[in-house]
């Protein structure tokens, strides 16, 4: 919000100019002129009798006037009264009454006359009256005995003072008596009771009268009022205590304040309503006071005359009173006479027009003498309210008085006629500089005097032409107005005044400045208490003006506080408090204009805590809580949180009870028996939670039987011969009374036993000993206290303690599904032998030996658990071509039963793993030597190796593929008849009777012929080639380092990725030390997938002839099935890691081969 105020240097002058236009030309004091009264005391002058009386009369004229006084219409000889003096060079009287004088001796009507050789001016009639504050007359005040409900008027009847005193009622302690619609003070000072109540009984109703002029207060004798009760009270319709009757009249003078009053009595107390018959009450000037018993209209005029009706109403009826108001008017000016300056031979008029009700009489005086008996002047002619002058001469100079009077007052005005012959003179100082802001009016002064009245002309510049047209306004007092000054209005202006006696001119200068603007205004801010805020205010101004920036708060000065930091273009407030809330205004002032911009700072904070907590509607199980919200600190309260304290059990600990919306201030709270409640309320807004309110009064509810029983009742045996009954005990006030205990009952299910019960203290467990092993029991736990039992509790089923299962599963059978998967069947044990909750069956299995290696190994048992009453399960992750043993055990909550006899089974052959290594060496022109190691996991009897190879040309295209089958007992091979200087790619894998295993790949290069080698040596001996090779070697080294870093971050060699992508799951054995199961894609799959790089890229396995579901797969220690049927988990038991038996990666090419390949 931005406001702009332009201060023109001519503004003050404009007011003076307008005044001059109204009062005519001011005559310079160095020229002869009749007297003019400049200051006088008021017409009705009430003086303090303890101070000197000063009656003012000041006047000006040339020559200076002399003064004289009349008192009560006769000459007042000042020299004969030692107490009366006149101020030097003044007509003001000072009457000294401080030293024994009495003001009453100087009461009267005084009039001052100021006279010189050109005429005489007179003052108003000044009525001098000393103020009076008389004492109350002695009177005996009788006590008032009033029946309850009756009306009462206590009369004040103050002494008549001058001016009239101000009346008010107080008690002995100087406290004002409370007033309301029932009890109020009338305009006459009386105290009115529409009906009395017992609480009105008191002995100190005292009326006080305050006399402001003498600053004294008079006190009436105290009035005693005693109200006696009579039942029942009789209601009655209203009647008026004041004014009496149905009609009355009121006369008020124009411009005064009209006060109309109606005070009514009745039971119930009446209410007052005002109307104006035939019209509306004037808007903006009508006010209701004294609880609408007084109608107040300010600045009344004749249009306010009419009939005003007050209506008093209560439920039993109404009454009314009509007041006829007549507005009269003391005389008031329509046209007051103005001083008239004429040159010899000129004509003129004096006009005196006034109005009033009744219409005033107009009379003329000249030099204080009625014009009818004044010396004749042939140049004047009186025509009612006008005096016409023609062909005046110097002797026609005089002071004329116009008196307009009626029965309500008078007006007296002095106006002189001054006949002068004077050449023009310009009163405005020469070369005066005016500075103005662009786009504002410029007012250039040319105050002048001359007789006859000079004509005024304006010019711009040294040789400019006379100014005229719509761009300028020429005022009668000589002022030149430029309504919208622009930058090009800057310059020198010349004012020329001429009459028949001469001519004079004056130059003034105008400068038009750029306006001051706020280009970055402060913005509305919301800040949390304790934070800091900044308001910006950047201004642009005329470079010749020096602005000052002032910051205001709520249109007043900033607080004197070091937290307020004023910078050049901003205001910062540190550690904001709630008192900083308000409107901040940046005011940029120059000598010519002022511009301001405001922004509101809203300080928000957590609410103030609620207060005045009250408990009502107190019942056994509920109560109503109400409160008064604290100040929301400019962030609306969103909700109230009600908390309670149990002063009996947890004093000082507050718990959440409920919460309600932020507009709600009452809540019905549910209570529990036997709790000593206190409540508090916390208000919440967007900023946070208020401090808690003060705690309410305490409320102790009566004790009662428990309403509820313990929850979580269970029966679980900890030993084979016991039953442990546990429950969640009742908390806090859930006990509903003192002496909380529990009745614990139990009986064996389905045997017809009676309930066995014990009552225990406030605990959460009871142990029943000597029970049969694992039999069901019916259990219930009931709460009770000193007042009785809770409702009958629900029964729950529990079991006595478990023991280990007695027998092992029988008829264990193994069915081989494939080389890595077997299915196990067994017969379930009888349930009665489980002796507990059947949790499932557990298979222990272990590898005895590998049939291909024919050597025993460390026995490592693995465990799979099958939940529930299963009779079969799957064993995944077996190693092909191996001998295994297993047994099966039943499991309950106590542990495992005995194991079934060990069952031996063998897995068939599978495909082998890849050869452990492939090494290529001894390259010649047409041959390469290959060496390899057997597969780490042959998974059966190897029958052969297969070698495939193909050449790679310079564009990395592959040639025809050649395949060679090699006996299984070979470990090396020399390949002959190869092309020289050619790169070959080799694929090598082993085979069993089941199929081919994973392949291993390698590349190698044959060497060049001797002629090419010699050329190469020749080139290699050249310096440029050596430098080039060094650079290439350095580049390769850098690339190798980068590759090494990337590989350590998880990268793969491309060859390895290809091996992984084409691996056959049938020839990938599971590592013995892997310890985890692979995943299955659906419930039809039976071959487990291997973990890591051995997993097929499409994550599927071949379907074989088994239809077993994945449900048949067991659990390891943490084993489980996913919802999609895939198996996850791990083997249980300890595992030993086997040492590596080979290296899957091949040897890198030699530097010579790398060189050959580069060439």
């Amino acid at each position: 919000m931005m406001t702009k105020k332009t201060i023109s240097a001519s503004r003050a002058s404009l007011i003076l100019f307008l005044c001059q236009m109204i009062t005519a030309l001011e005559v310079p004091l160095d020229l002869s002129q009749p007297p003019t009264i400049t200051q006088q005391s008021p017409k009705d002058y009430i003086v303090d009798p303890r101070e000197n009386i000063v009656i003012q009369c000041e006047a000006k004229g040339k020559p200076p006037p002399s003064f004289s006084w009349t008192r009560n219409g006769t000459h007042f000889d000042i020299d004969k009264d030692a107490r009366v003096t006149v101020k030097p060079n003044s007509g003001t009287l000072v009457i000294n009454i401080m030293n024994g004088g009495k003001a009453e001796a100087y009461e009267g009507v005084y009039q001052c006359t100021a006279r010189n050789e050109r005429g005489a001016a007179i003052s108003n009639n000044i009525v001098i009256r000393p103020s009076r504050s008389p004492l109350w007359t002695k009177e005996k005040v009788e006590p008032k005995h009033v029946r309850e409900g009756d009306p009462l008027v206590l009369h004040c009847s103050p002494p008549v003072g001058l001016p009239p005193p101000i009346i008010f009622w107080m008690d002995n302690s100087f406290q004002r008596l409370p007033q309301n619609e029932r009890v109020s003070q009338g305009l006459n000072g009386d105290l009115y009771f529409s009906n009395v109540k017992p609480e009105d009984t008191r002995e100190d109703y005292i009326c006080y009268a305050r006399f402001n002029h003498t600053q004294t207060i008079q006190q009436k004798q105290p009035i005693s009022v005693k109200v006696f009760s009579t039942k029942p009270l009789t209601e009655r319709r209203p009647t008026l205590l004041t004014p009496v009757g149905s009609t009355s009249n009121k006369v008020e003078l124009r411009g005064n304040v009209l006060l109309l009053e109606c005070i009514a009595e009745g039971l119930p107390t009446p209410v007052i309503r005002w109307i104006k018959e035939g019209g509306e009450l004037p808007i903006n000037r009508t006010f209701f006071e004294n609880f609408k018993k007084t109608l107040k209209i300010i600045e009344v005029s004749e249009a306010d005359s009419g009939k005003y009706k007050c209506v008093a109403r209560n439920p039993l009826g109404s009454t009314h009173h009509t007041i006829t108001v007549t507005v009269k008017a003391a005389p008031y000016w329509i046209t007051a006479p103005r001083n008239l300056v004429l040159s010899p031979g000129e004509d003129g008029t004096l006009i005196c027009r006034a109005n009033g009700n009744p219409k005033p009489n107009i009379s003329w005086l000249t030099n204080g003498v009625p014009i009818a008996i004044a010396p004749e002047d042939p140049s004047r002619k009186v025509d009612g309210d006008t005096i016409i002058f023609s062909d005046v001469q110097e002797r026609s100079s005089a002071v004329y008085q116009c008196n307009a009077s009626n029965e309500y007052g008078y007006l007296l005005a002095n106006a002189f006629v001054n006949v002068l012959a004077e050449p023009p003179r310009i009163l405005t100082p020469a070369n005066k500089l005016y500075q103005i802001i662009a786009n504002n009016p410029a007012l250039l002064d040319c105050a002048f005097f001359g007789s006859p009245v000079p004509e005024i002309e304006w010019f711009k510049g040294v040789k400019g032409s006379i100014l005229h047209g719509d761009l300028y306004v020429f005022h009668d007092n000589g002022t030149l107005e430029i309504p919208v000054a622009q930058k090009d209005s800057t310059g020198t202006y010349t004012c020329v005044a001429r009459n028949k006696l001469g001519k004079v001119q004056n130059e003034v200068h105008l400068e038009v400045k750029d306006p001051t603007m706020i280009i970055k205004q402060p913005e509305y801010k919301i800040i949390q208490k304790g934070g800091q805020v900044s308001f910006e205010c950047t201004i642009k101004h005329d470079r010749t003006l020096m602005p000052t920036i002032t910051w205001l708060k709520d249109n007043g000065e900033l607080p004197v506080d070091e937290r307020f930091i004023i910078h050049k273009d901003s205001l910062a407030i540190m550690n904001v408090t709630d008192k900083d809330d308000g409107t901040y205004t940046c005011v940029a002032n120059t000598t010519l204009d002022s511009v301001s911009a405001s922004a509101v700072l809203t300080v928000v904070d957590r609410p103030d805590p609620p207060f005045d907590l009250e408990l009502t509607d107190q019942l056994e199980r509920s109560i109503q809580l109400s409160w008064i919200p604290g100040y929301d600190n400019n962030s609306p309260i969103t909700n109230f949180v009600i908390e309670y304290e149990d002063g009996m059990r947890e004093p000082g600990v507050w718990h959440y009870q409920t919460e309600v919306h932020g507009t709600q201030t009452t809540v019905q709270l549910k209570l529990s028996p036997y709790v000593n409640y206190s409540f508090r309320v916390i208000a919440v807004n967007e900023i946070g939670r208020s401090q808690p309110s003060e705690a309410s009064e305490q409320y102790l509810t009566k004790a009662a039987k428990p309403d509820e029983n313990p929850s979580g009742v269970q029966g679980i045996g900890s030993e084979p011969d016991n039953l442990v009954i546990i429950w969640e005990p009742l908390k806090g006030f859930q006990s509903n009374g003192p002496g909380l205990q529990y009745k614990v009952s139990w009986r064996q299910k389905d045997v017809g036993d009676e309930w066995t019960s014990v009552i225990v203290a406030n605990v959460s467990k009871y142990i029943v000993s000597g029970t049969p092993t694992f039999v069901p029991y019916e259990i219930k736990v009931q709460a009770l206290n000193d007042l009785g039992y809770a409702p009958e509790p629900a029964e729950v089923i529990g079991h006595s303690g478990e023991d280990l299962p007695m027998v092992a599963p029988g008829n264990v059978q193994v069915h081989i599904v494939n080389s890595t998967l077997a299915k196990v069947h067994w017969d379930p044990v009888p349930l009665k032998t489980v002796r507990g909750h059947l949790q499932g069956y557990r298979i222990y299995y272990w590898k005895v030996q590998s049939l291909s290696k024919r050597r025993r190994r460390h026995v490592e048992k693995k465990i799979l658990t099958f939940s529930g009453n299963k009779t079969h399960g799957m064993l995944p992750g077996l190693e092909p071509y191996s001998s295994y043993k297993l047994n099966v055990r039943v499991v309950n909550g106590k542990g495992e039963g005995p194991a079934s006899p060990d069952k031996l089974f063998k897995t068939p052959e599978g495909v082998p793993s890849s050869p452990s290594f492939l090494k290529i060496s001894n390259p010649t022109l047409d041959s390469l030597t290959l060496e390899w190691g057997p597969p780490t996991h042959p998974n059966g009897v190897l029958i052969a190796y297969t070698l495939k190879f193909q050449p790679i040309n310079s564009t990395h295209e592959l040639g025809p593929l050649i395949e060679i089958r090699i006996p299984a007992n070979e470990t090396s091979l020399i390949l002959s008849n190869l092309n020289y200087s050619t790169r070959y790619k080799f694929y090598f894998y082993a085979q069993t009777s089941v199929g081919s295993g994973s392949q291993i790949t390698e590349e190698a290069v044959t060497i060049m012929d001797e002629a090419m080698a010699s050329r190469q040596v020749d080139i290699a001996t050249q310096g440029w080639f050596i430098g080039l090779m060094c650079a290439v070697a350095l580049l390769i080294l850098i690339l190798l380092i980068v590759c090494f870093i990337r590989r350590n971050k998880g990268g793969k060699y491309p060859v390895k990725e290809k091996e992984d992508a084409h691996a056959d799951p049938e020839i990938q054995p599971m590592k013995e030390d892997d310890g985890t199961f692979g995943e299955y894609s659906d419930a039809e799959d039976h071959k487990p997938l291997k973990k890591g790089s051995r997993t097929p890229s499409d994550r599927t396995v071949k379907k074989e002839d088994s239809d077993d579901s994945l449900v048949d797969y067991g659990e390891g220690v943490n084993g489980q099935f996913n919802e999609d049927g895939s198996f996850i988990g791990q083997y249980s038991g300890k595992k030993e890691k086997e040492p590596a038996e080979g290296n899957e990666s091949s040897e890198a090419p030699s530097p010579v081969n790398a060189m050959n390949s580069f060439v």
Side-chain angles (χ1 to χ4, degrees):
M1 175 180 67
M2 186 173 77
T3 59
K4 185 169 183 177
K5 177 182 177 185
T6 302
I7 303 173
S8 170
S10 306
R11 285 296 188 193
S13 300
L14 178 59
I15 298 173
L16 176 61
F17 298 153
L18 296 176
C19 292
Q20 289 176 342
M21 291 170 65
I22 295 172
T23 60
L25 294 179
E26 287 288 331
V27 180
L29 284 175
D30 62 335
L31 298 178
S32 296
Q33 56 184 291
T36 300
I37 301 289
T38 59
Q39 192 172 4
Q40 57 183 316
S41 294
K43 293 179 182 179
D44 191 9
Y45 188 16
I46 299 175
V47 298
D48 190 335
R50 300 167 299 180
E51 298 179 353
N52 292 339
I53 301 172
V54 178
I55 309 175
Q56 289 184 327
C57 181
E58 303 290 341
K60 67 177 181 177
K62 181 70 174 181
S66 60
F67 297 90
S68 63
W69 285 86
T70 63
R71 179 185 175 192
N72 297 327
T74 61
H75 177 67
F76 183 35
D77 193 346
I78 297 171
D79 296 334
K80 290 184 179 181
D81 192 335
R83 294 186 180 277
V84 181
T85 58
V86 180
K87 287 185 177 181
N89 302 316
S90 167
T92 297
L93 293 181
V94 179
I95 303 173
N96 186 353
I97 60 171
M98 299 290 287
N99 299 317
K102 291 189 176 181
E104 291 82 359
Y106 292 93
E107 285 190 63
V109 180
Y110 292 78
Q111 190 173 43
C112 169
T113 301
R115 187 186 308 275
N116 69 9
E117 60 187 30
R118 285 191 167 251
I122 61 175
S123 70
N124 292 320
N125 287 330
I126 302 171
V127 180
I128 300 296
R129 295 185 294 172
S131 64
R132 297 182 179 88
S133 53
L135 299 175
W136 245 288
T137 57
K138 294 289 185 181
E139 61 176 326
K140 184 177 181 181
V141 180
E142 297 291 338
K144 305 285 185 181
H145 296 273
V146 192
R147 182 174 57 189
E148 182 182 359
D150 285 356
L152 174 65
V153 180
L154 299 182
H155 297 286
C156 180
S157 304
V160 178
L162 185 68
I166 297 172
I167 306 300
F168 50 93
W169 289 80
M170 293 197 298
D171 59 17
N172 275 330
S173 302
F174 296 98
Q175 299 297 314
R176 285 187 178 269
L177 296 176
Q179 298 187 24
N180 48 46
E181 290 183 342
R182 185 178 63 85
V183 182
S184 61
Q185 176 184 317
L187 294 175
N188 62 356
D190 293 347
L191 190 63
Y192 293 86
F193 295 76
S194 295
N195 50 77
V196 295
K197 295 183 176 181
E199 57 261 33
D200 295 327
T201 297
R202 63 189 308 151
E203 296 181 352
D204 56 350
Y205 286 94
I206 305 174
C207 180
Y208 290 85
R210 185 175 68 207
F211 298 90
N212 284 342
H213 259 69
T214 57
Q215 297 181 350
T216 59
I217 295 178
Q218 303 291 352
Q219 173 184 333
K220 186 182 177 75
Q221 290 293 322
I223 302 174
S224 174
V225 173
K226 185 172 183 180
V227 179
F228 59 92
S229 298
T230 58
K231 301 292 184 178
L233 294 178
T234 303
E235 295 186 343
R236 62 186 181 279
R237 61 182 298 163
T239 59
L240 288 173
L241 296 174
T242 184
V244 297
S246 60
T247 61
S248 59
N249 298 297
K250 172 81 172 180
V251 176
E252 191 57 78
L253 292 182
R254 178 181 182 270
N256 286 355
V257 176
L258 173 65
L259 294 174
L260 303 178
E261 180 181 58
C262 276
I263 300 178
E265 63 90 8
L267 188 67
T269 302
V271 294
I272 305 295
R273 184 170 62 92
W274 290 90
I275 58 175
K276 182 181 182 183
E277 294 183 358
E280 299 290 334
L281 295 174
I283 301 173
N284 299 328
R285 295 189 293 116
T286 301
F287 304 91
F288 298 100
E289 297 180 344
N290 197 21
F291 311 99
K292 292 192 175 181
K293 300 174 186 180
T294 302
L295 171 66
K296 176 180 178 181
I297 301 176
I298 62 175
E299 298 177 3
V300 294
S301 65
E302 289 86 341
D304 295 321
S305 296
K307 293 184 177 181
Y308 293 81
K309 180 186 288 186
C310 69
V311 180
R313 185 183 303 276
N314 73 3
L316 277 71
S318 65
T319 187
H320 68 272
H321 183 92
T322 302
I323 305 172
T324 301
V325 174
T326 302
V327 178
K328 298 291 186 178
Y332 56 91
W333 289 118
I334 295 175
T335 303
R338 295 185 296 174
N339 292 337
L340 189 60
V341 178
L342 300 174
S343 64
E346 281 192 316
D347 302 334
T349 58
L350 284 179
I351 300 174
C352 177
R353 288 178 185 157
N355 200 0
N357 187 8
K359 190 172 180 63
N361 293 320
I362 304 296
S363 60
W364 288 97
L365 296 86
T366 179
N367 296 327
V369 178
I371 200 167
I373 61 175
E376 291 188 5
D377 183 351
S379 64
R380 73 173 180 243
K381 177 183 177 182
V382 179
D383 184 7
D385 58 7
T386 304
I387 300 179
I388 303 170
F389 297 93
S390 58
D391 192 20
V392 296
Q393 302 300 319
E394 188 173 349
R395 66 178 180 277
S396 301
S397 297
V399 182
Y400 292 84
Q401 289 84 33
C402 173
N403 186 302
S405 61
N406 65 13
E407 61 185 280
Y408 298 107
Y410 74 93
L411 293 173
L412 177 68
N414 292 278
F416 63 67
V417 175
N418 196 13
V419 181
L420 294 172
E422 285 292 325
R425 63 170 70 181
I426 293 178
L427 306 178
T428 299
N431 295 311
K432 185 175 181 179
L433 175 63
Y434 294 89
Q435 294 180 323
I436 200 71
I437 295 296
N439 299 316
N440 285 285
L443 298 169
L444 307 183
D445 183 11
C446 184
F448 64 90
F449 183 80
S451 183
V453 177
E455 294 179 356
I456 302 297
E457 294 176 328
W458 281 93
F459 300 86
K460 182 180 180 183
V462 179
K463 298 180 180 180
S465 58
I466 186 170
L467 299 180
H468 56 81
D470 297 336
L471 297 178
Y472 305 97
V473 178
F474 303 94
H475 293 280
D476 292 341
N477 62 0
T479 297
L480 171 65
E481 178 181 353
I482 307 174
V484 183
Q486 302 295 334
K487 294 286 285 185
D488 57 6
S489 302
T490 299
T492 299
Y493 292 81
T494 303
C495 166
V496 178
R498 59 164 58 88
N499 68 9
K500 64 182 181 181
L501 299 178
K503 181 181 81 169
V504 66
Q505 69 180 39
N506 185 37
E507 289 184 352
V508 294
H509 308 282
L510 175 64
E511 292 180 357
V512 180
K513 307 289 187 180
D514 291 325
T516 304
M517 295 184 294
I518 297 179
I519 59 177
K520 191 162 188 180
Q521 303 180 28
E523 297 177 346
Y524 174 71
K525 297 290 180 69
I526 299 177
I527 193 70
Q528 187 173 350
K529 183 178 178 181
Q532 64 183 57
V533 67
S534 177
F535 292 107
E536 293 187 85
C537 183
T538 305
I539 67 169
K540 180 182 178 182
H541 59 91
D542 192 284
R543 59 184 180 84
T544 63
L545 301 176
M546 295 301 295
T548 59
I549 295 180
T550 305
W551 287 91
L552 306 176
K553 180 181 185 293
D554 297 328
N555 295 323
E557 294 183 357
L558 285 180
V560 180
D561 193 328
E562 61 184 8
R563 297 182 301 107
F564 290 78
I565 303 172
I566 299 177
H567 301 288
K568 177 183 177 183
D569 296 327
S570 64
L571 166 67
I573 308 174
M574 316 301 290
N575 192 21
V576 172
T577 70
D578 50 7
K579 293 183 180 180
D580 299 331
D581 195 275
T583 301
Y584 289 83
T585 304
C586 165
V587 182
N589 288 305
T590 68
T591 54
L592 300 181
D593 65 348
S594 175
V595 62
S596 65
S598 300
V600 175
L601 172 62
T602 300
V603 180
V604 297
D605 197 11
R606 298 181 298 171
D608 291 344
F611 57 94
D612 282 356
L613 272 66
E614 183 179 6
L615 298 176
T616 56
D617 298 342
Q618 298 174 354
L619 302 175
E620 289 187 5
R621 293 294 182 101
S622 69
I623 197 168
Q624 180 171 287
L625 172 66
S626 60
W627 62 89
I628 297 176
Y631 180 51
D632 64 7
N633 287 313
N634 297 318
S635 180
I637 296 173
T638 57
N639 58 292
F640 292 100
V641 177
I642 293 89
E643 296 181 338
Y644 71 89
E645 174 197 36
D646 183 359
M648 184 186 306
R649 299 174 183 83
E650 296 180 294
V653 179
W654 291 89
H655 303 275
Y656 174 87
Q657 170 91 6
T658 187
E659 60 184 87
V660 296
H661 192 269
T663 58
Q664 193 171 333
T665 57
T666 60
V667 63
Q668 198 75 20
L669 300 175
K670 293 182 179 180
L671 306 180
S672 294
Y674 198 56
V675 179
N676 192 14
Y677 281 102
S678 292
F679 299 97
R680 69 183 187 184
V681 183
I682 299 171
V684 182
N685 63 10
E686 287 188 357
I687 308 304
R689 295 161 62 100
S690 72
Q691 291 294 319
S693 67
E694 294 290 332
S696 71
E697 60 182 302
Q698 291 187 334
Y699 179 62
L700 177 62
T701 54
K702 293 182 180 179
K705 296 183 292 185
D707 292 327
E708 53 189 311
N709 288 301
S711 60
V713 177
Q714 297 181 57
I716 306 171
S718 61
E719 298 295 338
D721 59 350
N722 73 7
L723 172 66
V724 179
I725 302 173
I726 61 174
W727 61 90
E728 288 287 336
L730 298 183
K731 295 180 180 178
F733 52 72
Q734 290 178 311
S735 64
N736 284 5
L740 177 64
Q741 294 177 298
Y742 299 100
K743 179 181 178 182
V744 183
S745 305
W746 68 93
R747 68 181 176 184
Q748 190 171 336
K749 190 174 183 296
D750 299 331
V751 297
D753 288 351
E754 293 295 325
W755 288 95
T756 303
S757 301
V758 295
I759 293 179
V760 299
N762 187 10
V763 294
S764 62
K765 181 172 70 172
Y766 182 77
I767 300 176
V768 180
S769 301
T771 62
T773 301
F774 195 68
V775 295
Y777 278 85
E778 294 176 313
I779 302 167
K780 56 184 180 180
V781 180
Q782 186 177 23
L784 69 150
N785 61 19
D786 292 351
L787 281 81
Y789 286 86
E792 186 66 22
E795 299 174 8
V796 298
I797 303 299
H799 287 80
S800 57
E802 301 179 68
D803 204 347
L804 293 176
M806 300 171 62
V807 299
N811 194 24
V812 177
Q813 302 293 328
V814 179
H815 169 64
I816 303 300
V817 178
N818 59 37
S819 60
T820 61
L821 181 66
K823 184 174 185 180
V824 183
H825 291 266
W826 61 89
D827 291 339
V829 300
L831 289 179
K832 64 180 181 180
T833 66
V834 176
R835 298 201 294 181
H837 294 286
L838 175 64
Q839 294 186 355
Y841 291 87
R842 191 167 291 161
I843 298 178
Y844 285 76
Y845 66 102
W846 59 95
K847 182 179 175 182
V848 178
Q849 69 176 23
S850 173
L851 299 178
S852 59
K853 297 182 180 179
R854 297 297 178 183
R855 63 179 178 86
R856 292 190 174 272
R857 51 168 289 159
H858 171 70
V859 175
E860 181 182 347
K861 290 188 176 181
K862 298 182 176 66
I863 303 173
L864 279 179
T865 300
F866 298 88
S867 299
N869 195 14
K870 290 290 187 63
T871 60
H872 61 274
M874 308 296 289
L875 296 184
L878 303 176
E879 292 186 13
Y881 205 51
S882 300
S883 177
Y884 281 88
K885 283 186 179 181
L886 63 80
N887 59 52
V888 184
R889 312 176 191 196
V890 67
V891 182
N892 68 8
K894 189 73 172 178
E896 298 175 348
S900 67
D902 291 347
K903 185 74 173 180
L904 178 67
F905 67 96
K906 298 178 181 180
T907 56
E909 288 188 80
V911 295
S913 63
S914 62
S916 58
F917 67 89
L918 175 62
K919 181 179 179 182
I920 303 174
S921 59
N922 302 325
T924 65
L925 288 175
D926 62 351
S927 67
L928 293 169
T929 300
L930 280 68
E931 296 178 283
W932 61 86
T936 305
H937 301 287
N939 293 335
V941 178
L942 296 182
I943 60 175
Y945 292 100
T946 299
L947 174 67
K948 298 179 182 179
F949 63 95
Q950 58 191 145
I952 304 174
N953 63 16
S954 59
T955 59
H956 303 288
E957 294 178 351
L958 298 174
L961 188 64
I962 302 171
E963 181 175 334
I964 299 175
R965 188 174 178 86
I966 305 170
N969 57 354
E970 297 290 337
T971 58
S972 63
L973 175 68
I974 298 176
L975 276 180
S976 303
N977 301 320
L978 302 178
N979 298 328
Y980 67 87
S981 188
T982 301
R983 178 175 293 276
Y984 287 89
K985 184 167 186 178
F986 299 91
Y987 312 89
F988 190 68
Y989 54 88
Q991 292 175 295
T992 65
S993 60
V994 177
S996 302
S998 301
Q999 66 185 14
I1000 185 170
T1001 63
E1002 190 58 87
E1003 293 184 10
V1005 182
T1006 56
I1007 64 173
M1008 305 180 207
D1009 61 23
E1010 294 180 359
M1012 293 181 64
S1014 64
R1015 287 198 300 270
Q1016 179 178 330
V1017 172
D1018 293 339
I1019 296 173
T1021 57
Q1022 303 300 312
W1024 64 268
F1025 185 76
I1026 294 173
L1028 179 60
M1029 291 300 100
C1030 290
V1032 171
L1034 179 60
L1035 180 60
I1036 291 173
L1037 178 61
I1038 293 172
L1039 290 174
L1040 288 174
I1041 293 172
V1042 172
C1043 290
F1044 177 76
I1045 294 173
R1046 289 179 61 86
R1047 183 181 183 188
N1048 284 347
K1049 292 184 177 180
K1052 290 184 177 181
Y1053 290 110
V1055 173
K1056 179 65 175 174
E1057 292 175 353
K1058 292 179 182 178
E1059 291 178 3
D1060 292 344
H1062 297 89
D1064 187 341
E1066 287 295 332
I1067 58 174
Q1068 301 296 321
M1070 175 180 287
K1071 293 183 182 178
E1072 292 183 78
D1073 59 344
D1074 191 12
T1076 61
F1077 295 101
E1079 293 184 359
Y1080 288 80
S1081 62
D1082 57 55
E1084 298 295 329
D1085 297 331
H1086 299 297
K1087 292 187 178 180
L1089 306 181
K1090 307 307 183 291
K1091 185 179 179 183
S1093 63
R1094 303 299 184 190
T1095 305
S1097 60
D1098 59 0
R1099 306 187 65 81
T1100 62
V1101 294
K1102 296 177 181 178
K1103 180 177 181 181
E1104 297 196 2
D1105 56 350
S1106 172
D1107 339 79
D1108 293 310
S1109 167
L1110 284 180
V1111 178
D1112 296 331
Y1113 287 85
E1115 300 173 355
V1117 174
N1118 296 312
Q1120 58 181 328
F1121 284 94
N1122 285 341
E1123 291 182 0
D1124 61 356
S1126 59
F1127 180 86
I1128 58 175
Q1130 67 182 22
Y1131 297 106
S1132 63
K1134 297 181 179 179
K1135 304 173 181 62
E1136 291 185 0
K1137 291 190 176 181
E1138 298 178 355
E1141 297 182 6
N1143 187 356
E1144 291 184 11
S1145 61
S1146 62
E1147 194 177 83
S1150 66
V1152 175
N1153 291 343
M1155 183 66 71
N1156 293 339
S1157 128
F1158 173 79
V1159 176

